[in-house]
Structures are given as C-alpha cells and as structure tokens.
C-alpha cells in the first residue's frame, strides 16, 4: 500500500502570504495525485487533479506541481477563505483510494 | 446539477447494524461514467475510503475494511447504501457519499478522484 505523508501538519500564516504544502508518497504514483480543500463543517472539494491541473472553478492562486513521490500545493496569496484543511490523494491502487493525513492552514 | 444527500440514524448502539442511504439527484445513477462511493472521517482524523459501486452492482472495497461493510444500489430509487454490521465506537465518524469518475474514453479527467461529495452525515456509536 502506498502511504502519503503530508507536511507540515499545521501551517500558520497571515492573509496575503504564500502557502506551500507538501505531500510525499512512499513509492512513485507518477502524476496520479489530487489535492482537496476542506473547510470546517463542509465536505472536501477537489482542487487539483493529475498533480498540477486545477479543477473546474478553482482560482488561479492555487497551483501544484510534482511527480513520482514529491508533490507541492502552493497558494500564492492567502485569502481569508483559504484557511482550511488540505488533503492529497493518489489513485494508483484502485479500488483503494488513499489520502494523506492533511495539512491545516490556520491564521497566524 | 448533481447533488448527493446522505441520511442515517445519527446514533447507533454498539454491536448494532449501521445503515446509511445516499440519494442521487440531478443526474442518472445509471451512468456508465461513474462509480458511487462512501468515505468516512473519524473525529480529528483524515479521510478514509470505504467502498464503491457501479450501477451494474459491481462492488469495490477498501481491502482493509472488506468484510466489515457492504455497499448496494437501487437504481429504481436512485439511491445507494452502506451497511456495517456490528458497529463499534471506532466507527463513529462523518460518512460521506461521493461520485468517482471511471476511466472511460470521453469521461472526466478526474477518474479515480472524488469529484462530487455529499454534505456528510454524522454517525455516533454509543450506548
């Protein structure tokens, strides 16, 4: 089973700052990786698919990169609504979908 | 617009059966392009994939949870279901139903990612 490790667990930043979140896979998932955002009390929503492609309706301040085992989600300038939990997920072992443990982006 | 709506008992006693329903509206559950699935999020924890089903009734389970949960579908009602026999406190969680695109030509680029989620239903297992 491929394990996804997200770091840091918590990121404390101010609005307007740049956020950089990491997801590391225990073995290569090529670019079969997605990122999700989850706000308190809400279901997650798909942000990024195939490692670097924004899903429909996702603002351009969200970008992502990576392949193989190391992936990064970047929020170029944090808006108040961006403070949330972020999860990565790989699809390399269907029917098992595996998620990382999450990174919480909180207001400093 | 597709909407998924979970419903469940809210509170279940230990060792009892947990049954959840997801109603699919705004799109056909009998689509060749999608699986329908369940995930859960235990308190303070991350997301855990449980199972998926295709309208033909093909089922797919998280290997670590197989045998504990069963997933089923009723296309005439546009609903799918999750059942857990003998719930324990460890099954206390928010349960989400979801749509997962299949890897078909002409299908979404989002295959094997979760592209639509329900709002979630909270299940507490306690006596």
């Amino acid at each position: 089973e491929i394990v996804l490790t997200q770091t840091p667990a918590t990121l404390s930043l101010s609005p307007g700052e740049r956020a950089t979140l990491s997801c590391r896979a225990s073995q290569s998932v090529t670019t079969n990786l997605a990122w999700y955002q989850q706000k308190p009390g809400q279901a997650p929503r798909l942000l990024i698919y195939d490692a670097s492609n924004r899903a429909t309706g996702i603002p351009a301040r969200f970008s992502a990169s990576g392949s193989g085992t190391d992936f990064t989600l970047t929020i170029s300038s944090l808006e108040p609504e961006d403070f949330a939990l972020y999860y990565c997920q790989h699809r390399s072992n269907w029917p098992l979908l595996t998620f990382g443990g999450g990174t919480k982006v909180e207001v400093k | 617009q597709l909407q998924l709506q979970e419903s469940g008992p809210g509170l279940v006693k230990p060792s009892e059966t947990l049954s959840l329903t997801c109603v699919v509206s705004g799109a056909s559950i009998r689509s060749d392009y999608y699986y329908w699935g369940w995930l859960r999020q235990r308190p303070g924890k991350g997301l855990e994939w449980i199972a998926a089903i295709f309208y033909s009734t093909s089922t797919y389970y998280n290997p670590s949870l197989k045998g504990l949960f069963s997933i089923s579908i009723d296309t005439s009602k546009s609903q799918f279901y999750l059942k857990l026999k003998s719930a324990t406190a460890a099954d206390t969680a928010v349960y989400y139903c979801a749509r997962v695109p299949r890897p078909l030509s002409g299908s979404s680029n989002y295959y094997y990612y979760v592209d639509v989620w329900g709002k979630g239903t909270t299940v507490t297992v306690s006596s």
Side-chain angles (χ1 to χ4, degrees):
Chain A
E1 179 184 337
I2 298 174
V3 176
L4 297 176
T5 302
Q6 290 188 243
T7 55
T10 303
L11 197 53
S12 299
L13 294 167
S14 300
E17 289 193 296
R18 183 183 189 90
T20 302
L21 290 67
S22 175
C23 176
R24 176 164 289 179
S26 59
Q27 57 187 279
S28 176
V29 298
T30 60
T31 55
N32 292 311
L33 191 106
W35 290 91
Y36 299 83
Q37 177 193 64
Q38 185 179 30
K39 297 179 182 179
Q42 296 185 18
R45 70 162 173 165
L46 182 65
L47 288 179
I48 301 288
Y49 67 98
D50 291 353
S52 61
N53 299 291
R54 281 190 300 277
T56 302
I58 302 304
R61 64 181 181 273
F62 292 92
S63 64
S65 63
S67 66
T69 60
D70 291 300
F71 301 87
T72 300
L73 173 69
T74 301
I75 310 170
S76 59
S77 178
L78 282 164
E79 297 287 339
E81 62 268 28
D82 299 336
F83 291 92
L85 271 166
Y86 293 84
Y87 293 97
C88 57
Q89 175 239 319
H90 81 82
R91 64 179 182 188
S92 297
N93 286 349
W94 177 262
L96 173 62
L97 300 184
T98 304
F99 293 82
T103 290
K104 180 181 181 181
V105 178
E106 66 174 21
V107 179
K108 187 173 181 180
Chain B
Q1 183 179 355
L2 173 69
Q3 288 191 320
L4 306 177
Q5 180 65 60
E6 307 91 344
S7 61
L11 179 64
V12 175
K13 289 184 169 54
S15 79
E16 291 188 343
T17 295
L18 165 63
S19 295
L20 300 174
T21 297
C22 182
V23 177
V24 178
S25 60
S28 174
I29 201 171
R30 294 178 56 87
S31 172
D32 288 337
Y33 293 105
Y34 301 106
Y35 300 110
W36 306 97
W38 290 95
L39 304 91
R40 68 181 178 181
Q41 188 168 33
R42 298 175 187 173
K45 302 294 184 183
L47 296 160
E48 183 176 33
W49 173 253
I50 301 173
I53 191 165
F54 186 51
Y55 77 88
S56 68
T57 72
S58 298
T59 57
Y60 309 85
Y61 291 94
N62 180 334
S64 66
L65 298 175
K66 192 173 183 180
L68 301 177
F69 289 92
S70 64
I71 190 170
S72 59
I73 194 166
D74 186 336
T75 56
S76 68
K77 294 183 178 179
S78 201
Q79 296 178 359
F80 62 103
Y81 312 95
L82 185 71
K83 185 173 288 188
L84 170 64
K85 290 187 179 179
S86 194
T88 71
D91 298 309
T92 293
V94 176
Y95 287 78
Y96 295 100
C97 63
R99 187 179 79 173
V100 177
R102 300 178 68 219
L104 292 181
S105 174
S107 175
S108 164
N109 290 329
Y110 304 160
Y111 72 89
Y112 297 156
Y113 302 126
V114 182
D115 71 340
V116 180
W117 300 71
K119 294 183 188 298
T121 187
T122 299
V123 175
T124 302
V125 181
S126 175
S127 55

